[in-house]
Amino acid sequence: MDEQHLYILWMTADADTAVGMAVTYAKKSMARGWWERVTVILWGASERLAAENAEVQNAVKEAMDAGVRFTACVAYARDLGVVEQLEALGIEVAQQGEALTALIQNKQNLITV
């Protein structure tokens, strides 16, 4: 178990919540040393939001510059037709089901937005 790794499961399509909580908290966590590593997992509606919203894209890029890792669910990204847009932002697009299950089963630090 990696006690200094925070995972944020970002599912909301609400831009204010996405930028104001999920992405900003991830960025500040790295910048202020609250966590050694932060990974944001985009799932569902958040993937479309990140692919289409310029404000969200800028926030994601700033968080990446601070060291936050972003990954997205490939199944949803394919269904939504946003794989290329997410990859162009530097977001890894990969299988997430087993990885998320392992995080939960291993009681990793996980919050959902």
Side-chain angles (χ1 to χ4, degrees), residues 42 47 69 71-75 77 87 91-97:
L42 288 79
E47 294 177 86
R69 177 177 169 258
T71 186
C73 175
V74 68
E87 290 177 338
I91 297 172
E92 172 191 36
V93 180
Q95 297 287 336
Q96 297 297 328

Side-chain angles (χ1 to χ4, degrees), residues 62-113:
E62 288 177 9
M64 286 179 170
D65 289 343
V68 176
R69 177 177 169 258
F70 285 80
T71 186
C73 175
V74 68
Y76 269 104
R78 282 185 191 139
D79 288 349
L80 297 171
V82 297
V83 172
E84 292 80 18
Q85 295 96 318
L86 295 174
E87 290 177 338
L89 290 170
I91 297 172
E92 172 191 36
V93 180
Q95 297 287 336
Q96 297 297 328
E98 287 184 29
L100 180 60
T101 300
L103 292 176
I104 296 166
Q105 290 176 341
N106 292 313
K107 298 177 179 34
Q108 292 290 317
N109 301 308
L110 174 68
I111 59 175
T112 59
V113 180

